[in-house]
Amino acid sequence: MVPPGEANIRSYTMGAVGWPVATHDGEATILHADLDAFYASVEQLLDPTLRGRAIAVGGSVVLAASYEARATGVRAGMAGWRARQLCPGIRFVGGHFEEYQRHGDRVMDVLRDFTPWVERVSIDEAFLDVAGAIHLFGDPSEIATAVRRRVRREIGLPLSVGVARTKHLAKIASQVAKPDGQVTVRPLDERAFLDPLPVELMWGVGPSTQRRLAAAGIRTIGDLAAAPGASLERLLGRAVGSHLSQLAVNVDPRRIEAPRRAASVGAQAALGQREASPELVRVTLAYLADRVTGRLRGAGRAGRTVTVRVRFGDLRSVTRSVTVPVAVGTTLTVTELAADLARDALADHPEQRHVTLLAVSVSNLVEQGELQMELPLELDEERHRSGSPQGAACWSVDRSLDAVRARFGRSSIDYAAVRFSGAARVPDAFRELAERDPS
DNA sequence: TCTGGGGTCCTAGGACCC
DNA sequence: TCTGGGGTCCTAGGACCC
């Protein structure tokens, strides 16, 4: 491994070193800090026998892979059998999900020692604006070095940092710096740094956009910057086209932001290839609705729109959604709405015999006081006549179940109808980690 | 033997209102 | 009787990100 902090520091400087920075606006004070192969690195930290070895977190699917494993082509999201094929010596570890959260939080605490302007974007990644910290800790490159040294010494994890004038540039710089390095892009060297890089390093360029750009002969960020904005908008649509052409010429107005509340809450379950029986669909949706509404209730929220996604045997998927006049948040109501939507989706595709995934999400969220409860009878008189319990009763039953689970664990109690027999491909602890607000 | 789980944003058509 | 223009909300799908 690279010694802490000292090695692997690069600076993209074309002319004389230390040219004065053009304007205050133009200073490179944004840092993007990104932990390397995060889950795998934590495992290697916890178990020294794993260090230097090809390891993956997961089992049937790779959730994260160490750099040693990545060298053989193993990637996150890959099926476990495929990873073993590519890397016969790979060692799979179950995953200490609580430890990931704890280590991620500790790293963020270190970052906040340098500046309060920290925008955490995920468990293992954050932007910083260090403009106000220079007089305390030195120039931004020195701050990057100090941050990496502290994270390495105090926590034991490798961290890569990009330093630049904008978030977009800093993010690209940290990707270029990996693993365990840092890259500073001086304002005068931005073009020289970006032009040769492949377009897919840009924020917002995924497989689809990359294909379309390649078809138009655009492969590098330099190609993109040279292309007329109007032609990009024709090629990619107005929003994506103008966004990319701005980023390519280094216009990125994004600032470091405070965390926002989530706009939607969802859950999904991959099922393998299963026959789309009404029982399977019902039981799975009930499980998902229960997860989603439990989180909503915990946050004191409820939502007016319920969306269901059904992915079929051929991996194509459809979504159906409905917006109701009163925000809903009980397990039973969301289950009912989701079941109706799934029934419609399946009825629209009678040729599809199998489902491979079901998802439920609730959006159009509102704050929900404990006293303010949904009234399902207003939503659907048919259901009311059929004898469904009233909203208040649903809500209080759900809150009781939530309380039991908080004390004894989530599997301690369930609606009888909610027992989820579907293939749980991923541990509950991983779901809970992914759920967490990064703030 | 096709690929987990949790999110955001954009587009486009239609309904509806003024 | 036919017509305009603008705005908001809803739905479905797609692309992208970590």
Side-chain angles (χ1 to χ4, degrees):
Chain A
M1 275 198 199
V2 184
E6 317 302 336
N8 205 6
I9 297 175
R10 282 165 283 162
S11 180
Y12 281 74
T13 305
M14 296 305 289
V17 176
W19 272 8
V21 171
T23 65
H24 176 72
D25 238 0
E27 282 184 63
T29 63
I30 305 294
L31 271 59
H32 182 253
D34 200 349
L35 289 153
D36 301 324
F38 180 52
Y39 297 173
S41 295
V42 174
E43 296 298 337
Q44 289 174 327
L45 177 66
L46 296 175
D47 178 356
T49 69
L50 298 178
R51 294 180 193 173
R53 291 191 53 180
I55 68 164
V57 176
S60 56
V61 63
V62 176
L63 298 174
S66 68
Y67 276 92
E68 295 82 359
R70 293 185 196 192
T72 68
V74 173
R75 294 288 178 271
M78 190 175 269
W81 62 265
R82 176 77 181 129
R84 291 187 177 87
Q85 200 175 51
L86 288 169
C87 183
I90 196 168
R91 167 91 178 273
F92 271 84
V93 296
H96 295 82
F97 297 96
E98 338 65 37
E99 292 294 323
Y100 305 158
Q101 186 68 42
R102 201 170 64 79
H103 283 80
D105 290 348
R106 287 183 62 199
V107 171
M108 297 300 146
D109 288 342
V110 169
L111 300 184
R112 288 190 202 97
D113 282 348
F114 288 86
T115 173
W117 300 102
V118 175
E119 176 183 341
R120 188 174 190 175
V121 286
S122 71
I123 190 169
D124 60 352
E125 188 186 338
F127 289 100
L128 292 73
D129 188 338
V130 299
I134 293 172
H135 65 288
L136 290 173
F137 303 111
D139 72 37
S141 295
E142 292 170 335
I143 294 176
T145 302
V147 166
R148 293 177 56 228
R149 187 184 294 128
R150 274 197 59 189
V151 169
R152 170 68 86 169
R153 287 190 182 154
E154 296 174 18
I155 302 169
L157 291 172
L159 175 74
S160 294
V161 178
V163 183
R165 192 179 50 80
T166 68
K167 287 167 91 172
H168 182 242
L169 283 160
K171 167 107 179 156
I172 293 183
S174 73
Q175 304 314 299
V176 171
K178 280 178 176 295
D180 198 16
Q182 74 181 67
V183 164
T184 296
V185 184
R186 292 167 182 276
L188 291 169
D189 307 323
E190 290 174 358
R191 284 263 59 92
F193 170 70
L194 282 182
D195 282 346
L197 296 176
V199 281
E200 60 267 29
L201 279 186
M202 290 186 64
W203 211 89
V205 177
S208 167
T209 302
Q210 187 190 345
R211 260 197 312 278
R212 268 185 263 187
L213 289 172
I218 296 172
R219 291 187 173 74
T220 65
I221 300 178
D223 294 340
L224 195 65
S231 74
L232 290 177
E233 291 188 27
R234 268 197 308 279
L235 191 65
L236 306 170
R238 195 175 55 78
V240 175
S242 72
H243 179 69
L244 287 189
S245 60
Q246 294 287 290
L247 287 184
V249 297
N250 288 330
V251 176
D252 179 8
R254 293 177 301 164
R255 295 283 168 247
I256 304 298
E257 281 176 25
R260 291 179 296 175
R261 296 202 83 177
S264 69
V265 172
Q268 63 182 57
L271 303 168
Q273 287 275 349
R274 303 277 291 269
E275 192 173 335
S277 74
E279 304 80 55
L280 173 69
V281 171
R282 171 80 195 186
V283 166
T284 307
L285 291 177
Y287 164 79
L288 294 171
D290 194 42
R291 284 200 79 93
V292 169
T293 56
R295 288 163 58 198
L296 284 172
R297 290 188 295 268
R301 311 181 84 185
R304 289 181 46 230
T305 302
V306 175
T307 303
V308 165
R309 183 159 79 102
V310 180
R311 192 179 70 189
F312 297 110
D314 61 6
L315 297 187
R316 292 193 311 157
S317 64
V318 297
T319 62
R320 291 291 180 273
S321 69
V322 64
T323 301
V324 294
V326 182
V328 295
T330 63
T331 299
L332 190 59
T333 311
V334 173
T335 300
E336 296 279 319
L337 292 169
D340 290 348
L341 291 167
R343 197 174 314 113
D344 292 347
L346 291 165
D348 288 345
H349 294 272
E351 77 284 3
Q352 299 279 2
R353 310 284 294 277
H354 294 88
V355 287
T356 53
L357 176 141
L358 289 170
V360 172
S361 115
V362 176
S363 55
N364 247 320
L365 302 182
V366 299
E367 303 308 308
Q368 177 87 333
E370 188 73 27
L371 297 176
Q372 183 191 357
M373 283 157 282
E374 71 199 54
L375 302 169
L377 51 166
E378 279 177 20
L379 303 180
D380 188 341
E381 292 187 11
E382 184 73 30
R383 192 171 296 127
H384 180 223
R385 280 199 298 277
S386 73
S388 170
Q390 292 193 7
C394 289
W395 186 268
S396 84
V397 169
D398 285 342
R399 293 299 285 168
S400 307
L401 293 187
D402 293 341
V404 172
R405 285 175 182 149
R407 284 192 62 187
F408 302 108
R410 97 152 276 118
S411 60
S412 58
I413 187 165
D414 262 321
Y415 286 99
V418 175
R419 287 286 172 193
F420 179 52
S421 54
R425 314 210 129 195
V426 143
D428 266 5
F430 179 73
R431 291 177 180 268
E432 281 161 28
L433 185 69
E435 270 169 28
R436 208 150 288 157
D437 242 321
S439 45

